[in-house]
Amino acid sequence: MEEALAEPRKLLPGLDTPLESRVRLLPVFTPNPDAFGRFAERFARYMGTPQFLVYMTLFCILWLGWNTLAPEEWQFDPKALNYTLLTLILSLQASYAAPLILLAQNRQDDRDRVQIEQDRSRNERNLADTEYLTRELASLRLSMRDVATRDFVRAELRTELRSILDELGERDASGSAPTKRRKDKKDRNRGQEPSADAQETPQGADLEPAESSRQSGERPDEQ
């Protein structure tokens, strides 16, 4: 009993190994899914049109009318059998129409899924582009605050010109006083020059008679 418990549990044969490829007697039929899907979609679209309903109604009316009003030798689906053949045809049509419609619906769902994925990726790109543009606009607005506008430049130029004009006016006012003083000094110097000449001329006049007297005094002594 203990030995039986100590032994590891053996798995069933074949469960721990992958399945091998089995040899098939008949080849597997794999129709072209695209071609069959296109046929299913065309059939489903045609069944959903008023034209199909009108044709189907006319077919049923003719079938019932012929098998009801025609002679019994000519009837192929008599009324006594409750139109068994027509019932089988309609059931067969319904049994094939339902899978075809489902196949067409599945293909449409696949296309819708792909379209939704494309729309989602497009919306994500548009959202990313919009966020990028909003960031760029915000940065441009922030940079435009630092950029000087025309009005700001004009105001600054006006203030600068006014300050320059004020400085020039102050320089002119401060420089006019020394020029006036210089002019006064020049005028004073010009007024003193004729008085010096006048003082020099009498001295020369006094010297001339002295020299003449000397000459005249010397001359009598010599005689």
Side-chain angles (χ1 to χ4, degrees):
M1 195 65 185
E2 293 178 356
E3 293 178 357
L5 293 173
E7 290 180 358
R9 184 178 294 176
K10 295 181 180 180
L11 298 175
L12 295 175
L15 293 178
D16 57 345
T17 57
L19 293 175
E20 296 180 357
S21 61
R22 297 177 181 178
V23 179
R24 295 181 180 274
L25 298 176
L26 298 175
V28 179
F29 178 68
T30 55
N32 189 1
D34 292 332
F36 195 75
R38 287 193 296 269
F39 170 75
E41 287 179 349
R42 290 175 183 175
F43 181 77
R45 288 194 185 97
Y46 180 72
M47 288 185 68
T49 57
Q51 186 178 3
F52 174 78
L53 294 176
V54 171
Y55 290 162
M56 193 68 187
T57 304
L58 293 175
F59 172 77
C60 293
I61 290 170
L62 291 175
W63 184 288
L64 293 174
W66 178 268
N67 292 298
T68 302
L69 302 176
E72 292 182 359
E73 295 110 5
W74 293 356
Q75 293 179 2
F76 54 87
D77 188 16
K79 182 180 180 182
L81 299 176
N82 295 323
Y83 308 108
T84 306
L85 185 58
L86 179 62
T87 305
L88 291 174
I89 290 172
L90 293 177
S91 61
L92 183 64
Q93 179 188 357
S95 62
Y96 274 98
L100 290 173
I101 292 170
L102 289 175
L103 180 60
Q105 187 66 34
N106 291 331
R107 284 175 59 86
Q108 186 64 35
D109 292 338
D110 294 337
R111 281 197 296 271
D112 293 339
R113 191 179 298 108
V114 172
Q115 187 68 30
I116 288 169
E117 291 295 332
Q118 291 178 357
D119 293 339
R120 185 179 297 172
S121 62
R122 191 181 298 110
N123 292 330
E124 289 177 355
R125 289 195 299 271
N126 292 332
L127 181 60
D129 295 338
T130 305
E131 290 178 353
Y132 174 74
L133 291 174
T134 51
R135 288 195 297 270
E136 289 295 324
L137 288 174
S139 62
L140 286 174
R141 287 179 179 177
L142 292 175
S143 61
M144 284 297 291
R145 293 179 182 177
D146 299 332
V147 174
T149 59
R150 291 182 179 179
D151 297 333
F152 178 77
V153 171
R154 289 175 182 175
E156 289 294 326
L157 288 174
R158 288 175 183 174
T159 54
E160 290 292 331
L161 290 173
R162 286 177 183 174
S163 62
I164 292 168
L165 290 174
D166 294 336
E167 289 179 0
L168 291 175
E170 290 177 357
R171 289 179 182 177
D172 293 337
S174 62
S176 61
T179 52
K180 287 181 180 179
R181 292 177 182 176
R182 290 175 184 175
K183 288 180 180 179
D184 294 337
K185 288 180 180 179
K186 288 180 181 180
D187 294 336
R188 288 175 184 176
N189 292 328
R190 288 177 183 176
Q192 289 177 358
E193 286 176 358
S195 61
D197 294 335
Q199 290 177 0
E200 290 177 358
T201 49
Q203 290 177 0
D206 294 336
L207 290 172
E208 287 178 357
E211 289 177 356
S212 61
S213 63
R214 288 176 184 175
Q215 290 177 2
S216 62
E218 288 177 356
R219 284 176 184 175
D221 294 335
E222 290 178 357
Q223 291 179 358

